[in-house]
Amino acid sequence: MSKVPARSAVKTAIQMIHRLKPGTSLQILNFKRDRSVSIVRHPNGHMDVIEQGFVQQVWSVDDDTASTVLKEAIPREFPRSHELRFTVKNAHEKAE
């Protein structure tokens, strides 16, 4: 788990999703861990972007569309956060 400044969170997340291997997920959490944006890469090349917080929504996207969705979801879920927690884990592991 690493902390990333909120100003660069979108850019960091986009860079990290391109390196995700099939079967892994990237979870972005605020300090209190009550809101999150998760990206799960599937073996077929598609990803699920799961937004849990102010909005409860799931998108099934490809690499190009994922960056657009993240540019909208991250500022919406973390408007006043200064640092965000980034965690990469196996997609089958349970969340904390």
Side-chain angles (χ1 to χ4, degrees):
M1 174 176 19
S2 63
K3 292 185 180 181
V4 175
R7 289 182 178 178
S8 63
V10 173
K11 181 180 177 183
T12 304
I14 291 170
Q15 290 174 351
M16 290 180 80
I17 63 169
H18 292 299
R19 294 185 303 203
L20 279 180
K21 295 178 182 172
T24 58
S25 67
L26 169 65
Q27 195 171 34
I28 305 166
L29 301 156
N30 64 338
F31 177 76
K32 293 184 345 183
R33 298 182 185 171
D34 60 345
R35 294 188 306 270
S36 70
V37 176
S38 302
I39 302 97
V40 180
R41 171 143 340 240
H42 298 289
N44 63 3
H46 280 74
M47 293 180 274
D48 286 338
V49 179
I50 305 160
E51 185 176 353
Q52 297 175 331
F54 294 124
V55 176
Q56 306 288 326
Q57 199 164 6
V58 178
W59 292 277
S60 182
V61 296
D62 58 0
D63 282 344
D64 298 332
T65 316
S67 61
T68 305
V69 171
L70 287 174
K71 286 177 185 177
E72 296 172 2
I74 290 175
R76 178 174 46 234
E77 288 300 326
F78 313 111
R80 294 175 294 280
S81 297
H82 296 288
E83 284 187 330
L84 300 174
R85 298 173 191 260
F86 277 57
T87 306
V88 176
K89 57 175 68 171
N90 189 350
H92 301 294
E93 289 181 17
K94 289 188 175 183
E96 295 177 8

